[in-house]
Amino acid sequence: MGSPIVKVEGLGKRYRLRHAGESLPYVALRDVLATKAAAPLRWLRGGPTRVTREDFWALRDVDFEIAPGEVVGIIGRNGAGKSTLLKILSRITEPTEGRVTLYGRVASLLEVGTGFHPELTGRENIFLNGAILGMSRAEITRKFDEIVAFAAVERFLDTPVKYYSSGMYVRLAFAVAAHLEPEILIVDEVLAVGDAEFQKKCLGKMHDVSRGGRTVLFVSHNMAAVKSLTSRGILLTEGRVAFDGPAAEAVDRYMGSATDRVAGNPYLGRGRHTAIISSRLLDAAGAAVHRYNPGTPLRIAIVLETDGFPGLSLEALLRDPAHVKLGLASIHQFHGLTLPERAGRYRVVLELAEMWLAAGSYSLDLTTSVVNSSWDHYVEHALEFEVASANVGGQPWDFQHNLGYGSLALPCVRPPQFLIEPND
Amino acid sequence: MKLVIEAGLSADHYWRDMWRYRELMYFLAWRDLAVRYKQTAIGVTWALIRPAVTMLVFVAFRRLVDVPPGDVPEPLLVFAAVLPWQFFSSALAESSASLIGNAGLISKVYFPRLLIPTAAVVTAFADFLVTLGLLALLMLWYGIAPGWAALTLPFFAALAACLALGLGFLLAALNVKYRDFRYIVPFLIQVGLFVSPIAFTTERMPERWQTAYMLNPLVGIIDGFRWSILGGRFQLEPQAVWSSVAVATSSLLLGVWYFRRVERGFADVI
C-alpha cells in the first residue's frame, strides 16, 4: 500500500453515562443547581460529592489505513461503534483520544436529505441541501441539470417537497449527494431507503465514484450490498476492530459472530421506565443463531429491565432488506399483555408465527412502549438475521428478495385445485 | 489538502472554515425567510405590521400618561426606538433558539456551528431593512429630512447586531445544555422592553438612576438611532454610547469564547 488517504491511529471516544437522575443528555438547570448546592452537605456527611458516572467507550484503540480508491465497508452490530466512527471522521463529534488524518476533501452522507425543508420546492432544496453538504453555489448551478435528471423529478421541480412521494423525496436527496465530488466519501446506510430500482442506480453511481479513484467508506446492514460494493471490510465489535480484510470474509465473520455477541452486550441506552438489555435469535433447540429458516417460528429472546410502571408493552418491528417496515409484533395489542408491574430484570421469548420470508438480510427493531402513547426504549437494528434461501413449498425456485417481488412469499394453505367451470 | 482530527484540535481550521462555509450562512438565512413567507398568508407584511403596531401602542400610551410632546412628532420619536429594539429582540430570540431548531443538521453534518445563530441574526437584519423603508415613509410624511447624523446609522445598527450576536451565541449554547433558557429568553426580552428608552426618553430618567440605567447597552443603541434619525432635535449622551460599545464588544467576546468552548460537545447532547 502506498501512502494512505485516511489514517486512523489509536482512536477512542468516551461517553459519560449519568447514573443519578435523568437519562436525557441535556439537563435541567434545577438539577445542576441542586447538585451543586447539595455537594458540600454530602461532603460533610462523608458521601460522594459527585453524581456517579460510568465511562462508556463507544470506540477504543481503533487503527487502520485506507489507500486512495479503496471502497471499504464498515460492519458490526448495533452499538459496535460504526456510527461513532463515521461521526468522528465527518467531524461531527470529537474523539476523546487518538488521531485521524485525512488527505483530501471529505463529504459525508449520514442521512439522506439532511436539512431538506418540506415547505421549499425541489429546486430550492437542491441548493439548500447542496450548500449543507459543502457545495458552493457555483458548483450546484453547474450540476443542477444533472442532479435533476438523476432524480427524475423534472416535472415537480417547483412543487414543495412536502407533496413529493417518499420515493421522489429520497431520489432527489440522494441525487444531490451523489453529485458531490469529494476525494473521500463517507456513507451511512443511505442505500437502505428507496425502491429496488433506485437502489441499483445508487449502487451503480457509487461504483462510478470508486472507479473514478475516489475513496468510499460505507456502513451498512445490508450484507449483500457490502459484498457487492466493497473490496475490504472492517468488522467492529464493541468499539474495537475485530477483523480487517477482504469484504466477503468480514461478512462471514459478522454473520458467524452470534455467540460472541451474547457474551458481552453493547450498552443500548435506556428509556424512561425500561431498558432493553440484550436480545438474540434462538433456534428450536434454544441456541443463539443468526439464520432463520422460512416457514418456522421466529424466536426472539429479550432481556429487559422495568421500573414496574403499569401499562408498558413490548414490540418488535421487522424490517426487510430494503429497511422497509414489514410487520409488527406486540404483546399488548395482539395478546392483551403488559410488562410485569414489579421492578426487575426479566427475560422473555417472543415466538412469532411462521413467516415465509424471501432470501435476504432482515433486521428487527425492538421497543418498549407506554401503551397507546409513546415508545419508551427504542432500539433500532437490535437484531439482524439472514434468510439464506427460500424454497417455498419445497420447490426448487429460490425466492430472493432482490428479485423485486417484495420480501414475503404468499403460499396457499393447500395446493389450489382447478375445477371445470361450465360456461353456458 | 490535509486535515487532522484530534481531541481539542478543531480550533485550527475554524475561522477558515467559517469563511469557506459563508454561502451556507446565506442559504440558512434565506431558508428561514423563504419558509416564513411561504407559511404565512401575508408574508413580508409581518415585518411591517409588528413594528407599526408596537409604535402605535406606545404613542397611545404616551398620550395616556400625559407625556408633554416635544418638537419631534411622537410617532417618529417612538418609531426611531422601535426600529432597533425590534431588530435586536427578534435577532436575540431567533438566534438563541436556532441551535435547537437545527438539531438535525448538527447531528448529521459538519460545518462551523457559529453559522447557525449568525444566520438567525442575518434573517432579523433582512426584516430590519424592510422596516427602514417604513421609517423613510414616516419621515416623508412628517417632512423631516435626515441630517448628516444619519450617516452614523450603520454604526448603531452594527452595534445592535454585535450585541445580538454576542448574547445570541451565549444563549444558544446554553440552550443546548440547559433547556430552561427556552423560558428565560422571552422573559429577558420582555424585561428589556420596559427598561429601555422606547416608551420614554432618557432625559426623563431621574438623576440618581442614571448610572445604573446607562449600563443597559440598549440605551446607547436606541438613543443613537434617535439621534441619528432626528439629528439635532435629540440629545445623545456620549457616556451611553461608550457603555454600549463596551458591553456589545465584551458580550461578543464572551459569546464566541463560550460557544467555541462547548461547541464540540453539541452533537453528543443535542
Side-chain angles (χ1 to χ4, degrees):
Chain A
M1 188 153 75
S3 64
I5 189 163
V6 178
K7 204 161 131 191
V8 174
E9 297 159 282
L11 199 66
K13 171 82 182 176
R14 180 184 57 206
Y15 286 102
R16 287 254 151 91
L17 306 176
R18 295 168 56 86
H19 279 303
E22 297 287 302
S23 57
L24 297 171
Y26 49 86
V27 288
L29 205 49
R30 165 177 48 97
D31 295 343
V32 175
L33 297 177
T35 318
K36 290 256 154 73
L41 217 66
R42 245 177 297 158
W43 179 77
L44 281 177
R45 288 198 204 120
T49 47
R50 297 191 62 166
V51 180
T52 55
R53 286 179 176 181
E54 190 185 321
D55 286 349
F56 166 66
W57 287 89
L59 220 55
R60 193 96 205 242
D61 300 328
V62 172
D63 291 278
F64 59 84
E65 289 187 356
I66 295 173
E70 250 188 313
V71 180
V72 179
I74 295 173
I75 54 183
R77 313 240 157 260
N78 205 23
K82 303 178 305 265
S83 305
T84 307
L85 177 60
L86 292 202
K87 279 193 174 175
I88 292 173
L89 292 176
S90 332
R91 289 202 282 166
I92 290 163
T93 183
E94 262 198 344
T96 312
E97 57 180 36
R99 165 212 291 260
V100 177
T101 318
L102 301 161
Y103 298 89
R105 181 177 156 185
V106 186
S108 57
L109 196 54
L110 299 196
E111 179 189 62
V112 164
T114 306
F116 260 45
H117 200 290
E119 297 284 344
L120 300 180
T121 67
R123 183 191 305 278
E124 291 165 336
N125 269 307
I126 290 177
F127 278 93
L128 180 63
N129 191 235
I132 286 170
L133 293 175
M135 284 195 243
S136 69
R137 187 204 301 256
E139 205 177 339
I140 304 167
T141 313
R142 186 152 40 80
K143 292 182 187 154
F144 188 82
D145 293 335
E146 217 182 309
I147 291 173
V148 173
F150 187 84
V153 292
E154 291 90 342
R155 284 170 47 216
F156 305 99
L157 259 188
D158 295 307
T159 310
V161 298
K162 65 178 172 186
Y163 298 119
Y164 278 31
S165 72
S166 59
M168 280 162 61
Y169 186 94
V170 168
R171 285 209 304 274
L172 183 65
F174 191 87
V176 179
H179 288 81
L180 282 167
E181 279 177 358
E183 282 124 321
I184 306 163
L185 178 65
I186 296 173
V187 190
D188 188 5
E189 203 63 62
V190 281
L191 295 174
V193 287
D195 54 33
E197 196 185 331
F198 187 71
Q199 277 191 40
K200 254 184 229 163
K201 203 164 153 186
C202 293
L203 287 173
K205 184 78 194 174
M206 284 182 65
H207 261 305
D208 294 348
V209 167
S210 57
R211 226 174 279 144
R214 254 164 276 162
T215 311
V216 183
L217 259 93
F218 171 54
V219 160
S220 182
H221 286 99
N222 184 344
M223 290 303 130
V226 171
K227 270 192 195 170
S228 72
L229 203 68
T230 67
S231 51
R232 173 178 161 199
I234 294 178
L235 174 62
L236 290 180
T237 310
E238 286 164 51
R240 291 163 194 271
V241 176
F243 177 79
D244 183 354
E249 204 181 328
V251 170
D252 284 347
R253 291 212 181 197
Y254 169 75
M255 299 309 302
S257 64
T259 39
D260 309 346
R261 188 172 60 101
V262 184
N265 280 295
Y267 176 76
L268 300 173
R270 61 189 307 129
R272 208 175 154 74
H273 301 292
T274 58
I276 292 171
I277 307 292
S278 68
S279 60
R280 52 183 165 154
L281 218 60
L282 301 180
D283 66 7
V289 286
H290 236 82
R291 284 182 205 272
Y292 168 67
N293 295 322
T296 64
L298 180 70
R299 295 179 190 84
I300 313 161
I302 300 164
V303 176
L304 54 81
E305 280 177 4
T306 170
D307 64 358
F309 189 79
L312 297 173
S313 176
L314 175 65
E315 273 86 27
L317 278 115
L318 177 62
R319 291 179 184 268
D320 75 0
H323 207 63
V324 174
K325 284 178 194 152
L326 196 61
L328 171 76
S330 168
I331 64 161
H332 180 78
Q333 309 298 0
F334 302 161
H335 302 284
L337 296 171
T338 52
L339 295 185
E341 289 178 17
R342 205 186 143 138
R345 185 178 275 214
Y346 296 90
R347 183 186 138 94
V348 62
V349 178
L350 307 180
E351 191 168 2
L352 310 188
E354 305 79 24
M355 288 174 285
W356 290 97
L357 297 178
S361 16
Y362 294 78
S363 67
L364 283 158
D365 295 355
L366 296 180
T367 176
T368 51
S369 63
V370 179
V371 168
N372 296 331
S373 160
S374 57
W375 300 131
D376 189 61
H377 184 204
Y378 196 106
V379 182
E380 226 182 303
H381 274 295
L383 278 172
E384 288 129 33
F385 63 89
E386 189 90 348
V387 174
S389 57
N391 302 95
V392 183
Q395 297 300 307
W397 187 62
D398 188 12
F399 178 29
Q400 301 263 351
H401 167 264
N402 55 17
L403 295 174
Y405 304 118
S407 42
L408 205 55
L410 304 170
C412 302
V413 176
R414 63 186 73 84
Q417 288 192 353
F418 289 89
L419 303 175
I420 292 166
E421 179 88 353
N423 61 353
D424 36 23
Chain B
M1 196 187 118
K2 180 181 154 186
L3 176 75
V4 178
I5 303 171
E6 235 175 2
L9 205 81
S10 56
D12 267 22
H13 309 277
Y14 200 81
W15 299 105
R16 203 180 64 200
D17 278 355
M18 273 288 272
W19 177 248
R20 249 180 22 105
Y21 278 89
R22 65 191 183 280
E23 281 190 341
L24 177 58
M25 187 189 74
Y26 301 134
F27 273 117
L28 289 176
W30 163 82
R31 175 197 66 180
D32 289 346
L33 285 173
V35 168
R36 175 139 51 97
Y37 294 142
K38 279 181 194 199
Q39 278 174 339
T40 56
I42 51 174
V44 71
T45 331
W46 270 120
L48 298 175
I49 289 178
R50 280 198 308 170
V53 171
T54 313
M55 182 266 283
L56 289 176
V57 168
F58 279 126
V59 169
F61 172 77
R62 285 169 65 85
R63 288 268 159 83
L64 219 60
V65 297
D66 282 329
V67 177
D71 53 354
V72 177
E74 284 281 294
L76 208 52
L77 183 77
V78 174
F79 198 76
V82 166
L83 194 65
W85 168 254
Q86 195 82 50
F87 168 49
F88 170 77
S89 62
S90 61
L92 185 64
E94 309 228 333
S95 60
S96 50
S98 62
L99 289 176
I100 301 293
N102 286 293
L105 284 187
I106 290 174
S107 57
K108 295 293 180 194
V109 215
Y110 166 80
F111 54 85
R113 309 304 187 201
L114 270 174
L115 288 178
I116 295 182
T118 310
V121 173
V122 172
T123 310
F125 186 74
D127 282 343
F128 168 75
L129 291 181
V130 174
T131 326
L132 265 185
L134 194 58
L135 174 78
L137 286 180
L138 268 180
M139 291 178 77
L140 209 64
W141 174 264
Y142 287 107
I144 291 183
W148 60 266
L151 293 177
T152 59
L153 201 66
F155 167 74
F156 290 109
L159 208 54
C162 226
L163 187 66
L165 279 173
L167 295 178
F169 291 156
L170 188 67
L171 292 169
L174 284 168
N175 211 346
V176 172
K177 185 131 197 231
Y178 308 106
R179 300 293 158 105
D180 302 66
F181 280 89
R182 198 178 350 175
Y183 307 106
I184 296 177
V185 173
F187 173 69
L188 282 180
I189 289 175
Q190 200 180 13
V191 170
L193 179 65
F194 292 109
V195 300
S196 305
I198 300 164
F200 58 92
T201 47
T202 298
E203 75 231 19
R204 299 188 58 86
M205 185 54 64
E207 193 66 44
R208 62 202 164 99
W209 290 107
Q210 283 286 343
T211 317
Y213 171 73
M214 288 295 173
L215 285 179
N216 176 2
L218 286 164
V219 172
I221 293 170
I222 290 172
D223 281 358
F225 264 74
R226 279 192 170 139
W227 175 75
S228 116
I229 290 164
L230 304 171
R233 297 175 195 81
F234 190 84
Q235 278 297 316
L236 176 63
E237 291 282 342
Q239 188 200 340
V241 179
W242 287 122
S243 157
S244 280
V245 171
V247 175
T249 318
S250 41
S251 69
L252 189 61
L253 291 174
L254 177 73
V256 170
W257 171 78
Y258 183 72
F259 194 98
R260 292 284 296 119
R261 205 171 69 102
V262 296
E263 179 182 20
R264 59 189 67 146
F266 283 169
D268 298 333
V269 295
I270 208 161

